[in-house]
């Protein structure tokens, strides 16, 4: 199940604007800095970001068709700001994983309730 587009719009307009000042330093959250694939404009998208052995994993709660996902894939990378540190990330990879193994256990269980099975994996440069 992918979360509805109406919720995505609400988050873009309301939740993201409130969250942006805090996500760069809260554990489990981050700010994804990416360029628009057509406009070239810089975007800053607050996300739940989880460390992996060589980079980060992001649960695609709105599905792999989200604009920010397309932008990162088209550019081949982006920047992630988390816990007050900035990382250049490359080699984005869409992964369909019903077991959600790249997520921490409590998050894995929550994502199971939402039936989220798609993830974006990126590597730290």
């Amino acid at each position: 199940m992918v979360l509805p587009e109406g919720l995505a719009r609400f988050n873009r307009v309301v939740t993201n604007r409130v969250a942006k000042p805090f996500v760069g330093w809260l554990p489990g959250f981050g700010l994804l800095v990416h360029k628009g694939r057509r406009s070239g404009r810089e975007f800053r998208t607050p996300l739940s970001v989880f460390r992996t052995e060589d980079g980060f994993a992001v649960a695609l709660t709105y599905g792999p068709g989200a604009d920010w996902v397309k932008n990162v894939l088209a550019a081949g990378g982006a920047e992630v700001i988390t816990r007050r540190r900035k990382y250049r990330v490359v080699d984005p990879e869409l992964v369909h994983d019903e077991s959600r193994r790249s997520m921490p256990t409590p998050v894995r269980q929550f994502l199971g309730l939402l039936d989220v099975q798609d993830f974006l994996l990126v590597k730290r440069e």
Side-chain angles (χ1 to χ4, degrees), residues 10-71:
F10 177 82
N11 282 337
R12 271 193 306 270
V13 173
V14 178
T15 311
N16 288 358
R17 290 182 184 178
V18 172
K20 277 183 188 177
F22 307 104
V23 296
W25 55 270
L26 288 172
F29 293 94
L31 196 61
L32 181 77
V33 182
H34 56 98
K35 299 268 187 192
R37 61 194 177 285
R38 290 185 293 240
S39 69
R41 189 173 139 214
E42 181 180 278
F43 293 94
R44 293 173 173 262
T45 305
L47 300 167
S48 294
V49 177
F50 301 94
R51 289 183 187 269
T52 62
E53 189 174 303
D54 58 354
F56 298 96
V58 180
L60 302 181
T61 53
Y62 297 109
D67 281 334
W68 69 265
V69 176
K70 293 177 184 177
N71 290 343

Side-chain angles (χ1 to χ4, degrees), residues 92-122:
E93 178 185 1
L94 282 177
V95 175
H96 181 82
D97 179 12
E98 295 176 11
S99 70
R100 302 162 197 69
R101 70 179 167 270
S102 60
M103 296 287 117
T105 302
V107 175
R108 188 179 309 149
Q109 293 168 343
F110 178 72
L111 293 174
L113 294 173
L114 297 175
D115 198 27
V116 173
Q117 300 176 7
D118 294 308
F119 303 88
L120 182 71
L121 304 179
V122 291

